[in-house]
Amino acid sequence: MDVKKFKETALGGVLSNPVFILVLGMCPTIAKSTNITDAFALGLATAFVLVFSNIFVSALRKVIPDKVRLPAYIIIIATFVTIVQMFIEAFLPALNGSIGEFIPLIVVNCIILARAESFASKNGIGYSALDGASMGIGFVLSICLLGAIRQTLAAAGMKVFATTPGGFIVLGLLMALFNSLLRMHKEGLRKKLVKEGE
Amino acid sequence: MDYFTVVIAIVIAGVFTNNIVLSQSIGICPFLGVSKKTNSAIGMGLAVTFVITVSSVVCYILYHYVLVPLNLVYLQTITFILIIAALVQLLDILIKRFSPALYAALGVYLALITTNCAVLGTANAVITSGYDLLQTFVGSFSIGVGFTLALILMAGIREKVDLAPVPKPFRGLPIALIIAGLMALAFGGFAGLSFFK
């Protein structure tokens, strides 16, 4: 097993975080991060679909003709979304009331199609499952972070953060924070390299 | 409440009070991605409006006359996404054949409409709201108009922001998200218009 590739794939969810760095899947991120419970549940559902669609796309990558690959991926994704939808309807009726309308929209969540197209269609089943898990965890963590911040602010009396405008603003501020952290990190790396060069 | 009033309420909700981007936060990817220039925003808005309207009507008919009688409601998600994908492909072929100029203007955005969650979201929403056929048509059309309105306003603001001295970490998407937040706050003022419900 290639250690470097394994490490790269496993850390993909953090280093190329789907929400803050790749900026994919914005709709559920903003719509369902008003409280941490909904955020966690939707994040988990998305991660489940991501892992299994990655595995199946990777397993079928040599069978699916190149020309019809996108419709084929969409059918694979839609199948797993339907499984999640039926499971939540049957066993978690309370959750179905709060995030039910957003479960079918996982089909058009760009994170999943993007990983299928850019990773799973080119790599083996093991790596694809790992990539799905890593990206899924990255998504769960980001949406939970957003949910925790918004719920805290709303509980502190700033009701606007529980609504859509608050979601946009918190995400914008967090993204700016990530940008500056990333820049500082890169600056640090560069300075270190320069020092070593001397 | 008579039928006509209900239809007007649906239009006002679709365009202003329940604006799909600014109040329901659906369809944010194209809203952030294609709002850099006013011209492409208009083209994208029109194409999305067309696809939303046609796909909602087709999905409505298929749901009520095929899926429900055959007891296949659990296939809703798969069927709807396939209809939308086929429709976008058809639109692509038709526009290429009859209006190459428009095709060049829309470019890659046309294919991207398939994964615009505003389209699937609207097709699902008209089913859960229990609209009839006319209400579905009017409702989905006004949701498309609401999307176009938000997109054009956003593009207008972003063209100005490009010229402003924005702090470095905020350049690009972060400032766009904050603008969207402020716009959504302003749109919140339309809530008073929802007196029909």
Side-chain angles (χ1 to χ4, degrees), chain A residues 23 26-27 30-31 74 78 82 85-86 102 104-105 107-108 110 113 160 164-165 168-169 171-173 175-176 179 183, chain B residues 21-29 74 77-78 81 114-115 117 120-121 124 168-170 173-174 177-178 180-181 184-185:
Chain A
V23 199
M26 288 289 103
C27 312
I30 289 176
I74 288 180
T82 309
Q85 205 176 352
M86 286 167 134
F102 270 83
L105 294 186
V107 178
V108 283
C110 352
L113 200 61
V160 68
T164 306
F168 278 121
I169 291 170
L171 186 61
L173 292 174
M175 217 178 259
N179 276 351
R183 249 216 351 253
Chain B
V21 180
L22 297 173
S23 135
Q24 298 180 34
S25 54
I26 296 179
I28 293 171
C29 297
Y74 62 88
T77 308
I78 298 184
I81 192 71
T114 311
T115 51
C117 52
L120 185 63
N124 279 332
K168 251 188 193 157
F170 279 93
L173 278 176
L177 278 165
I178 288 168
L185 271 180

Side-chain angles (χ1 to χ4, degrees), chain B residues 95-118:
Chain B
I95 294 182
K96 205 190 226 169
R97 169 80 182 74
F98 292 109
S99 169
L102 184 64
Y103 187 77
L106 287 178
V108 67
Y109 307 134
L110 204 57
L112 288 181
I113 296 176
T114 311
T115 51
N116 180 344
C117 52

